[in-house]
């Protein structure tokens, strides 16, 4: 075996007992010589060192030597064993490199750490924790390894109880677990962590958990803000006093509010199976599509049109619709948001106003008869005919009263349009 490792014959070793040292890698030679000196001083010695093998490579040797003494305590000889441990050393080096890489990853996590632990009576017993735990929880790794209960002291009881249940369930299936938990730092600040652990059963039956814990406090804060924003949007959308809808670029309804359902007479579920073309009066579809096309091409930022919907019962409902596109940060079109106002009452008022203006135009012509009657009376033509004069005066008074009522009605309409008074339409 010596000849296979060293490449020297055994006879050469007998002739020159120190010739084996010629194969020792120079960087390890002092270590080997120092070991021999300690051995000669009476100390049993085990050494690991490198040699240049017979094949030209480098081998790792582990040797253990001791001195054999005679009955008088005098040294007789040295006996020893030298073993080729190259494969073991390569494996150890590979493990060391992986451990160094793992430690570097764990120590350089900006807001998190990796660990290995076992569970006993709900307590995590850590065999390894990276330095990131101090940045996240304010606890040093060596403190936690020495005192496992420290990690429970920074947690919330309800979260810890939930985690214990998840762990017990995972052990039954050897399944990885993912959960989110709150933690308190030493200054009292409450944060959130995302935890992922994977159980591993060792040869002795013990379970070891490999895990990573990452700080997600900022993510939780953003998530809460987003949820609040979504809730505000939901309330503003669903409780709006006007009809609101979200539609795809091809017209499919994505979301509608209660008022939109009231206007069209369809339920939300029914509308989500429709396009706006399905419920739009055929005479208005083309104008609607032209407006949508201008929005898609970017020619217009929004468009408004007066159109008609055909309700579920077949009633035609006039509305004023405003539509605008919603795009993402890249400019990609996501959907359209539409505002719809039922203008049936407004059109009724406009018709009443038009009719009223027609009446006003007609009634203002009575000024001519009033002026004529008053002119005749002023001329004295009927001063000798009081009955005729009285009749002409009654015409003037009657027409004047009608004009006064007309003026009052005009003023009433002005107040209605200004919103200063409330009114109810009656049959």
């Amino acid at each position: 075996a010596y000849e296979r490792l060293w490449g020297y014959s055994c006879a050469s070793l007998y002739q020159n007992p120190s010739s084996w040292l010629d194969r020792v890698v120079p960087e390890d030679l002092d270590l080997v010589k120092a070991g021999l000196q300690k051995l000669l001083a009476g100390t049993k010695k085990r050494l690991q060192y490198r040699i240049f093998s017979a094949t030209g490579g480098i081998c790792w040797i582990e040797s253990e030597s001791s001195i054999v003494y005679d009955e008088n305590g005098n040294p007789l000889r040295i006996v020893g064993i030298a073993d080729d441990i190259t494969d073991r050393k390569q494996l150890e080096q590979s493990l060391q490199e992986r451990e160094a890489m793992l430690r570097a990853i764990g120590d350089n996590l900006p807001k998190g750490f990796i660990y290995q632990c076992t569970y006993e009576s709900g307590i995590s017993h850590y065999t390894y924790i990276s330095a990131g735990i101090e940045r996240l929880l304010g606890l040093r790794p060596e403190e936690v390894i020495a005192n496992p209960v420290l990690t429970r002291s920074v947690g919330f009881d309800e979260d810890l109880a939930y985690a214990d249940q998840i762990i017990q369930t995972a052990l039954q299936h050897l399944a990885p677990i993912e959960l989110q938990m709150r933690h308190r730092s030493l200054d009292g600040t409450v944060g959130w962590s995302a935890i992922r652990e994977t159980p591993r059963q060792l040869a002795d039956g013990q379970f070891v958990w490999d895990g990573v814990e990452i700080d997600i406090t900022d993510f939780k804060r953003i998530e809460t803000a987003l949820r609040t924003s979504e809730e505000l949007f939901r309330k503003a959308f669903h409780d709006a006093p006007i009809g609101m809808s979200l539609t795809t670029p091809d017209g499919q309804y994505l979301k509608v509010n209660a008022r939109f359902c009231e206007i069209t007479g369809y339920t939300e579920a029914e509308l989500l199976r429709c396009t706006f073309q399905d419920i739009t009066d055929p005479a208005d579809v083309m104008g609607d599509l032209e407006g949508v096309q201008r929005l898609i091409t970017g020619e217009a930022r929004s468009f408004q049109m007066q159109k008609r919907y055909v309700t579920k019962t077949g009633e035609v409902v006039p509305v004023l619709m405003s539509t605008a596109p919603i795009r993402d940060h890249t400019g990609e079109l996501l959907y359209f948001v539409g505002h719809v106002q039922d203008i049936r009452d407004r059109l009724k008022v406009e018709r009443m106003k038009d009719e009223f203006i027609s009446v006003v135009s007609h009634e203002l012509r009575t000024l001519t008869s009033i002026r004529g009657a008053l002119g005749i009376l002023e001329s004295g033509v009927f001063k000798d005919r009081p009955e005729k004069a009285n009749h002409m005066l009654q015409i003037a008074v009657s027409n004047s009263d009608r004009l006064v009522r007309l003026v009052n009605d005009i003023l009433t309409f002005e107040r209605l349009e200004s919103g200063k008074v409330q009114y109810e339409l009656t049959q």
Side-chain angles (χ1 to χ4, degrees):
Y2 171 78
E3 291 178 353
R4 288 194 302 271
L5 281 174
W6 263 259
Y8 296 153
S9 67
C10 292
S12 67
L13 186 61
Y14 301 149
Q15 294 171 3
N16 182 7
S18 63
S19 63
W20 66 278
L21 290 173
D22 296 340
R23 289 288 192 187
V24 176
V25 173
E27 291 83 359
D28 294 351
L29 189 56
D30 289 342
L31 172 68
V32 173
K33 289 181 177 180
L36 288 174
Q37 293 300 320
K38 291 181 180 179
L39 176 63
L40 294 175
T43 304
K44 183 177 180 179
K45 193 63 180 175
R46 175 178 292 183
L47 292 174
Q48 291 183 358
Y49 55 92
R50 294 166 294 171
I51 67 169
F52 296 107
S53 70
T55 59
I58 292 179
C59 291
W60 273 92
I61 301 297
E62 182 176 67
S63 66
E64 185 172 357
S65 305
S66 61
I67 298 177
V68 178
Y69 298 91
D70 63 15
E71 64 274 9
N72 296 320
N74 298 314
L76 289 177
R77 67 183 65 86
I78 295 173
V79 296
I81 297 174
D83 191 19
D84 182 357
I85 61 169
T86 304
D87 290 344
R88 193 179 81 191
K89 273 293 184 179
Q90 290 175 345
L91 180 60
E92 287 178 357
Q93 184 177 1
S94 176
L95 291 175
Q96 288 171 356
E97 290 174 353
R98 290 190 179 187
E99 183 179 350
M101 180 180 67
L102 184 65
R103 183 176 290 108
I105 292 173
D107 292 348
N108 288 288
L109 283 175
K111 285 190 176 182
F113 60 95
I114 58 177
Y115 58 88
Q116 187 179 85
C117 69
T118 60
Y119 287 103
E120 183 179 342
S121 301
I123 303 297
S124 302
H125 296 268
Y126 294 91
T127 55
Y128 171 76
I129 306 178
S130 66
I133 190 174
E134 187 168 2
R135 292 191 295 269
L136 181 59
L137 303 179
L139 302 173
R140 288 180 293 149
E142 57 270 23
E143 291 178 329
V144 177
I145 292 175
N147 188 5
V149 298
L150 282 178
T151 55
R152 295 188 74 88
S153 66
V154 299
F156 288 75
D157 292 341
E158 54 268 34
D159 293 359
L160 294 170
Y162 173 71
D164 292 341
Q165 294 177 0
I166 296 296
I167 290 170
Q168 294 304 316
T169 302
L171 281 175
Q172 298 175 9
H173 308 285
L174 288 181
I177 61 173
E178 293 184 4
L179 65 155
Q180 297 179 357
M181 298 177 61
R182 294 167 294 173
H183 60 259
R184 299 183 188 90
S185 60
L186 294 182
D187 61 3
T189 304
V190 176
W192 279 88
S193 293
I195 300 172
R196 179 181 172 85
E197 293 183 346
T198 302
R200 181 163 47 89
Q201 190 171 19
L202 304 181
D204 61 2
Q206 186 181 29
F207 289 98
V208 174
W209 293 79
D210 304 308
V212 59
E213 182 169 341
I214 303 294
D215 181 63
I216 58 169
T217 304
D218 291 341
F219 170 78
K220 278 291 185 180
R221 188 179 298 114
I222 294 172
E223 185 181 57
T224 300
L226 180 61
R227 189 181 300 111
T228 302
S229 177
E230 288 178 344
E231 180 64 16
L232 290 174
F233 170 78
R234 188 191 65 79
K235 290 182 177 179
F237 185 87
H238 288 286
D239 299 338
I242 62 173
M244 295 187 67
S245 66
L246 303 180
T247 58
T248 64
D250 60 0
Q252 183 72 40
Y253 285 109
L254 298 173
K255 188 182 289 293
V256 294
N257 70 348
R259 180 58 183 148
F260 191 86
C261 293
E262 292 176 4
I263 293 173
T264 62
Y266 291 94
T267 65
E268 181 178 7
E270 290 171 334
L271 286 170
L272 296 185
R273 294 193 294 267
C274 298
T275 64
F276 73 79
Q277 298 95 315
D278 295 331
I279 63 173
T280 298
D281 189 293
D284 297 334
V285 170
M286 186 56 66
D288 211 340
L289 290 175
E290 290 175 355
V292 168
Q293 188 60 34
R294 290 198 301 273
L295 297 179
I296 293 176
T297 60
E299 182 182 345
R301 298 180 60 182
S302 65
F303 91 95
Q304 185 180 82
M305 69 175 292
Q306 186 173 313
K307 60 180 284 188
R308 290 159 294 182
Y309 284 126
V310 180
T311 69
K312 186 177 180 179
T313 59
E315 181 184 2
V316 176
V317 178
V319 298
L320 182 64
M321 182 193 67
S322 300
T323 304
I326 302 298
R327 303 179 185 271
D328 63 16
H329 67 283
T330 66
E332 185 71 20
L333 179 62
L334 300 176
Y335 52 84
F336 294 111
V337 58
H339 296 170
V340 175
Q341 292 178 279
D342 184 347
I343 59 173
R344 282 176 290 189
D345 289 342
R346 196 183 80 180
L347 292 179
K348 287 181 182 178
V349 172
E350 288 181 356
R351 284 195 298 270
M352 292 172 59
K353 187 174 182 180
D354 291 342
E355 293 171 359
F356 181 72
I357 291 174
S358 177
V359 171
V360 168
S361 300
H362 175 75
E363 292 298 333
L364 287 178
R365 295 191 183 96
T366 60
L367 286 173
T368 303
S369 61
I370 295 174
R371 180 66 183 86
L374 293 177
I376 292 173
L377 291 176
E378 184 183 16
S379 66
V381 173
F382 298 118
K383 64 180 180 180
D384 297 328
R385 300 172 61 185
E387 298 83 2
K388 190 65 175 178
N390 187 52
H391 176 69
M392 296 297 292
L393 186 59
Q394 288 178 352
I395 291 175
V397 170
S398 175
N399 287 341
S400 297
D401 289 341
R402 290 173 62 186
L403 287 176
V404 169
R405 290 195 299 270
L406 187 62
V407 171
N408 288 336
D409 288 345
I410 292 174
L411 294 175
T412 299
F413 267 111
E414 290 298 325
R415 289 197 299 272
L416 291 177
E417 286 191 342
S418 68
K420 296 180 180 180
V421 296
Q422 295 181 351
Y423 65 97
E424 294 182 4
L425 295 177
T426 58
Q427 296 294 337

